[in-house]
Amino acid sequence: MAWTKYQLFLAGLMLTTGSINTLSAKWADLFSAKGCHGDPEHSFSHPFVQAVGMFLGEFSCLAVFYILLFHDRRSPEPRMNPGQRFNPLLFFPPAMCDMTATSIMYVALNMTSASSFQMLRGAVIIFTGLLSVAFLGRRLAPSQWIGIFITILGLVVVGLADFVTGHRDDSHKLSDVITGDLLIIMAQIIVSVQMVLEEKFVYKHDVHPLRAVGTEGLFGFVVLSLLLIPMYFIHTGNFSDNPRQVLEDALDAFCQIGHKPLILLALLGNTVSIAFFNFAGISVTKEISATTRMVLDSLRTLVIWVVSLALGWEQFHGLQVLGFLVLLTGTALYNGLHRPVLARIPWCAARMNLEEDSSDAERERLLNNGRVQASEDT
């Protein structure tokens, strides 16, 4: 069945805004500008300020939810299900996981390339699968276990590509690249904890996805904004790139934006894109399918890599192509994207009917996380 113009628009919007989200964050990292009190020009290294902007984008989904609800209730035949009443504090623990993981990933993005950042986020299926078995009592299908092992292999290949590239890349030191890659993988453990918490305690309630994303964004925005105050006084030595060598210098970030307004454009691109990405992703799941959303999310990794190469942000490396293909295969197997193909083969279809498919709920949680990973995505 051919897609309608509206469905094509939603798919294009999700792919475009999802790619812009990572690219705009990396673009901001590449700027250099003067700071406060006559500080010399230095790189814009403010991951926690960027994370606050991302949560502001997620928070805006709450406004979109109420706008859509208001518009729907004014129509003669309301169709939107606003969901049941719930305690907003249910979203606080997963929001804190989201805040921690997103902040770590933005720190890592300063250290590694945008394409590796996006590819390594595929590690989330490994930890989500293992934690869902341990804490949710889920039984994974054989194809999902195979997908996990292939994903691990893909991560090794991407890491090896970064190791080789790091020796001849002047923009990042090899130690920074390795540290950044490890931080991204560590962040995926926290993201998987967030998903398990949401599935166990939150999503048994009937909560609209936009409302869920917006509520988590509200908590993340408020808490992280408050944490910027103590971060201003916590000295971290050479780990921080700002002149005062503190965990986060928000004042320095604003001074740099004042000296180079293009940084603000990059930050706004990150904030606005995450809001539209969440809206488009939820709409794609509703109007087309969850499988299509997962495919589009994989395609944005390719878009980010191609654009990064075209802009000269990174160098081409064959190992990275191989790593991307291996990760794509692992993700496809874990999320059951092979099933429509195998269903056309009679003996495979019969075998699949006997195999318990436990991936549906898992896939929905991956998709409704909002950043696919957005930060989840980040």
Side-chain angles (χ1 to χ4, degrees):
M1 183 179 178
W3 285 4
T4 64
K5 290 182 179 180
Y6 180 60
Q7 289 173 331
L8 286 171
F9 167 74
L10 289 175
L13 182 65
M14 179 185 168
L15 185 61
T16 303
T17 54
S19 302
I20 290 174
N21 184 245
T22 298
L23 291 169
S24 59
K26 186 62 182 178
W27 186 33
D29 293 340
L30 297 175
F31 280 109
S32 293
K34 293 181 179 179
C36 303
H37 311 299
D39 290 329
E41 189 171 287
H42 54 279
S43 61
F44 185 82
S45 180
H46 297 284
F48 297 99
V49 171
Q50 286 179 288
V52 168
M54 193 218 70
F55 281 115
L56 179 61
E58 286 193 358
F59 178 32
S60 67
C61 289
L62 204 57
V64 174
F65 167 76
Y66 284 111
I67 291 171
L68 292 176
L69 184 62
F70 175 77
H71 178 73
D72 182 71
R73 285 182 173 174
R74 293 189 64 185
S75 63
E77 297 180 6
R79 291 188 243 176
M80 183 176 173
N81 176 21
Q84 67 185 68
R85 291 182 177 273
F86 65 96
N87 184 356
L89 291 177
L90 282 172
F91 287 93
F92 188 78
M96 294 303 97
C97 290
D98 191 7
M99 181 190 74
T100 305
T102 300
S103 300
I104 291 173
M105 284 191 282
Y106 277 127
V107 171
L109 188 58
N110 271 291
M111 301 178 173
T112 190
S113 64
S115 60
S116 294
F117 169 83
Q118 194 65 35
M119 290 181 193
L120 292 172
R121 290 177 70 178
V124 69
I125 68 172
I126 300 171
F127 305 112
T128 304
L130 295 177
L131 289 177
S132 65
V133 170
F135 297 103
L136 299 178
R138 179 166 297 127
R139 293 179 59 186
L140 299 183
S143 60
Q144 291 180 297
W145 285 113
I146 294 172
I148 285 176
F149 286 119
I150 291 177
T151 301
I152 293 173
L153 178 61
L155 293 174
V156 172
V157 175
V158 172
L160 182 61
D162 280 348
F163 181 80
V164 173
T165 307
H167 283 291
R168 54 191 197 193
D169 185 5
D170 296 331
S171 60
H172 298 101
K173 293 188 295 184
L174 179 59
S175 58
D176 286 347
V177 171
I178 295 174
T179 303
D181 288 354
L182 291 175
L183 284 174
I184 294 168
I185 294 174
M186 184 175 74
Q188 302 321 300
I189 300 176
I190 302 173
V191 171
S192 64
V193 172
Q194 173 195 349
M195 292 182 178
V196 170
L197 284 173
E198 287 174 337
E199 186 167 340
K200 191 171 181 65
F201 299 109
V202 176
Y203 283 95
K204 60 184 178 182
H205 300 277
D206 180 21
V207 182
H208 192 281
L210 278 175
R211 195 176 187 185
V213 172
T215 304
E216 286 191 10
L218 170 62
F219 283 127
F221 176 74
V222 172
V223 173
L224 192 54
S225 295
L226 293 175
L227 286 177
L228 289 179
I229 299 172
M231 286 180 184
Y232 184 80
F233 300 99
I234 300 175
H235 288 269
T236 57
N238 293 329
F239 181 78
S240 177
D241 289 336
N242 57 67
R244 295 180 59 248
Q245 294 188 327
V246 292
L247 189 57
E248 180 59 283
D249 190 342
L251 293 181
D252 181 66
F254 289 121
C255 288
Q256 286 189 290
I257 292 170
H259 285 112
K260 187 160 289 188
L262 267 179
I263 299 175
L264 180 60
L265 180 62
L267 297 179
L268 285 176
N270 188 39
T271 300
V272 175
S273 63
I274 193 65
F276 279 98
F277 176 64
N278 279 296
F279 171 75
I282 291 167
S283 299
V284 165
T285 303
K286 179 182 176 182
E287 298 289 337
I288 309 175
S289 69
T291 301
T292 301
R293 184 174 177 182
M294 187 61 70
V295 171
L296 291 171
D297 193 57
S298 299
L299 282 177
R300 77 178 173 122
T301 303
L302 179 61
V303 172
I304 290 167
W305 180 60
V306 171
V307 172
S308 296
L309 287 174
L311 294 175
W313 290 356
E314 53 188 273
Q315 300 175 353
F316 177 84
H317 201 287
L319 270 179
Q320 204 170 38
V321 181
L322 177 61
F324 170 70
L325 293 175
V326 174
L327 283 171
L328 193 62
T329 303
T331 303
L333 282 172
Y334 185 85
N335 290 289
L337 302 186
H338 63 292
R339 292 180 177 276
V341 177
L342 294 182
R344 298 184 179 184
I345 305 174
W347 68 271
C348 286
R351 185 178 181 87
M352 286 166 58
N353 288 333
L354 294 174
E355 184 182 277
E356 180 182 0
D357 182 15
S358 61
S359 66
D360 288 345
E362 189 76 24
R363 187 185 309 129
E364 287 300 321
R365 278 303 312 121
L366 281 167
L367 294 172
N368 287 329
N369 185 40
R371 278 172 277 93
V372 183
Q373 233 329 8
S375 173
E376 195 252 50
D377 114 60
T378 103

